[in-house]
């Protein structure tokens, strides 16, 4: 994830955030704009579906061969192929699958013998909670580091911030996972190593969002246990991302601090902290907001290794099992789910950018 985070940071930092020329008037969002975005989303999801559908079938490996019992006859193998629709050509298979998707049927998992959508829906809340918690920790930590380093930019501590930030960026999330396991699982065994909740706890959850439900219902003991299980995977995902966010936000803050409106506020006698928080921060948040939106989708889809290390029952762990078992319907459902999340998050980020940028919000 670190490589992708660094690449995303460089791309986002290069985006020209002055979206409108000086003196121009912002055009309000119309129904046509919304319709265009929806059409683009549908085309994008269709393209992703085609690519994934074809790729997983041309890659060597037969899911039926992994299912059959020793000594199965040719008729048994043929029956299994017909049952899962693998006896037809790829275009015919895709047409049948797409017809089912439109009707809400994403197929039956080959390895688990259950509807693929049902399996993904049961695992997705765990990954979403982990990704939301990780992005929250990353944003808070990265913002704090960026603000502190901006305030101390003329001191010797500025170089120390840069060195620590570079160190955190260079260490990938799965390495942080191993470090945290060694530190808090063995050297100081204060946190659970695996799972999402203590198996001895028998609580009839209404939803699969364990942490959110425990907090909202006031069951703080359960919330503490769930949070303890999430803490190490959350930190493993958040630490490198916090460094990337801190770097992008600090760069934007340094550029904002030399603008005329900040100089004018300084002449009026405002403190350095007020200049950073009230004047520079809200004008420097654009690139960081875009980076956060991109990285959230990376977190949801990039928790695979971290979830595997901590045996966390999310979609990432499920995706590894699906690939190992060559479970075509499950892989397709997972990829489409990630694609839909990516599109929704990008739309939300666009809306937040408009809300935070007065030049886009008002004419």
């Amino acid at each position: 994830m670190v490589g992708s985070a660094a690449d995303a940071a460089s791309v986002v930092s290069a985006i020209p955030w002055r979206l409108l020329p000086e003196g121009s008037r912002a055009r309000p969002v119309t129904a046509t704009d919304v319709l265009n975005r929806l059409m683009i989303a549908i085309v994008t999801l269709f393209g992703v579906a085609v690519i994934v559908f074809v790729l997983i079938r041309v890659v060597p490996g037969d899911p039926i061969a992994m299912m059959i019992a020793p000594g199965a006859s040719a008729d048994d193998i043929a029956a299994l192929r017909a049952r899962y629709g693998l006896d037809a050509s790829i275009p015919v298979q895709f047409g049948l699958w797409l017809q089912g998707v439109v009707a809400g049927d994403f197929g039956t998992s080959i390895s688990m013998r259950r509807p693929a959508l049902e399996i993904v829906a049961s695992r997705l809340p765990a990954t979403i909670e982990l990704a939301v918690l990780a992005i929250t920790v990353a944003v808070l930590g990265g913002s704090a580091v960026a603000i502190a380093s901006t305030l101390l930019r003329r001191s010797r501590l500025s170089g120390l911030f840069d060195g620590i930030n570079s160190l955190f960026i260079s260490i990938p999330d799965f390495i942080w996972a191993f470090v945290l396991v060694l530190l808090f699982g063995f050297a100081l065994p204060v946190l659970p190593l695996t799972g999402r909740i203590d198996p001895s706890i028998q609580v009839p959850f209404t939803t699969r969002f364990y942490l959110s439900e425990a907090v909202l219902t006031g069951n703080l003991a359960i919330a503490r246990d769930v949070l303890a299980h999430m803490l190490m995977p959350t930190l493993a995902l958040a630490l490198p991302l916090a460094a990337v966010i801190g770097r992008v936000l600090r760069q934007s803050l340094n550029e904002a601090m030399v603008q005329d409106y900040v100089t004018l506020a300084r002449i009026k006698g405002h403190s350095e902290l007020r200049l950073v928080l009230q004047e520079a921060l809200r004008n420097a948040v654009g690139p960081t907001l875009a980076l956060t939106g991109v990285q959230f989708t990376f977190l949801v889809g990039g928790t695979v290794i971290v979830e595997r290390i901590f045996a966390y029952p999310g979609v990432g762990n499920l995706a590894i099992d699906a690939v190992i078992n060559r479970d075509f319907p499950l892989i397709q459902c997972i990829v489409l789910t990630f694609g839909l999340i990516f599109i929704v998050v990008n739309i939300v980020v666009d809306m937040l950018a408009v809300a935070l940028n007065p030049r886009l919000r008002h004419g």
Side-chain angles (χ1 to χ4, degrees):
M1 191 219 44
V2 174
S4 59
D7 294 340
S10 62
V11 171
V12 170
S13 62
I15 295 176
W17 287 97
R18 180 170 292 176
L19 299 178
L20 297 174
E22 291 290 344
S24 64
R25 297 176 63 85
R27 181 177 62 84
V29 178
T30 64
T32 303
D33 297 328
V34 176
L35 182 60
N36 289 337
R37 287 299 298 266
L38 290 177
M39 293 301 297
I40 293 174
I42 294 173
V43 172
T44 301
L45 286 177
F46 180 80
V48 170
V50 171
I51 293 172
V52 173
F53 194 94
V54 173
L55 283 180
I56 62 178
R57 281 163 174 77
V58 299
V59 172
D62 186 1
I64 301 301
M66 303 178 68
M67 295 175 56
I68 58 175
S73 65
D75 291 338
D76 294 332
I77 297 175
L80 278 177
R81 289 189 180 280
R83 177 181 177 183
Y84 290 101
L86 300 177
D87 56 340
S89 63
I90 291 180
V92 173
Q93 290 183 45
F94 180 77
L96 293 174
W97 176 77
L98 187 61
Q99 183 179 354
V101 169
V102 173
D105 180 10
F106 285 76
T108 301
S109 168
I110 296 175
S111 59
M112 300 185 182
R113 314 294 204 281
R114 291 167 52 199
L117 184 60
E118 175 186 315
I119 298 172
V120 174
S122 67
R123 296 288 194 97
L124 187 59
T127 296
I128 290 179
E129 282 197 331
L130 179 61
V132 168
L133 188 60
I135 200 73
T136 301
V137 172
V139 169
L140 293 177
S143 300
V145 170
I147 292 171
S149 60
T150 302
L151 292 172
L152 300 172
R153 63 190 182 279
R154 296 187 180 90
S155 69
R156 295 181 178 179
L157 292 177
S158 178
L160 178 62
F161 276 107
D162 290 338
I164 295 176
N165 198 72
S166 298
L167 176 65
F168 274 59
I169 290 179
S170 63
I171 301 177
D173 48 17
F174 66 90
I175 297 297
W176 280 115
F178 287 126
V179 170
L180 292 169
V181 167
L182 293 175
L183 182 59
F184 296 113
F186 294 98
L188 299 171
V190 294
L191 294 174
L193 286 173
T194 61
R196 191 182 179 195
I197 191 172
D198 193 317
S200 64
I201 297 178
Q202 300 295 330
V203 178
F205 286 100
T206 304
T207 68
R208 299 278 183 173
F209 294 92
Y210 291 175
L211 180 60
S212 304
E213 183 175 338
V215 171
L216 292 176
T217 57
N219 199 334
L220 299 184
I222 302 299
R224 282 194 298 269
D225 183 80
V226 174
L227 191 59
H229 283 79
M230 296 178 64
L231 189 55
M232 283 199 288
T234 295
L235 290 176
L237 293 168
L239 288 175
L241 178 55
V244 175
I245 291 176
R247 172 174 291 183
V248 172
L249 182 56
R250 183 189 177 185
Q251 179 181 347
S252 299
L253 284 172
N254 288 337
E255 294 174 356
M257 291 298 290
V258 299
Q259 300 299 315
D260 293 340
Y261 61 88
V262 175
T263 302
L264 179 60
R266 183 179 288 111
I267 294 174
K268 292 180 179 180
H270 294 170
S271 66
E272 196 72 10
L273 179 61
R274 182 175 178 181
L275 291 176
V276 173
L277 295 181
Q278 294 189 5
E279 303 295 336
L281 183 59
R282 60 184 176 181
N283 291 282
V285 76
T288 307
L289 177 62
L291 174 67
T292 302
V294 171
Q295 286 302 308
F296 179 77
T297 58
F298 285 168
L299 279 178
V300 175
T303 58
V304 175
I305 299 178
V306 172
E307 286 188 3
R308 198 66 168 185
I309 292 173
F310 294 101
Y312 189 80
V315 178
N317 212 342
L318 179 67
I320 293 180
D321 293 333
V323 172
I324 292 175
N325 296 320
R326 303 282 295 165
D327 196 330
F328 294 166
L330 195 53
I331 294 173
Q332 293 156 190
C333 187
I334 291 172
V335 172
L336 277 187
T337 300
F338 285 158
L340 181 60
I341 291 174
F342 183 87
I343 292 171
V344 170
V345 169
N346 275 276
I347 293 175
V348 172
V349 169
D350 287 347
M351 293 173 62
L352 288 176
V354 172
L356 293 174
N357 192 330
R359 300 186 62 202
L360 296 178
R361 190 170 63 248
H362 303 293

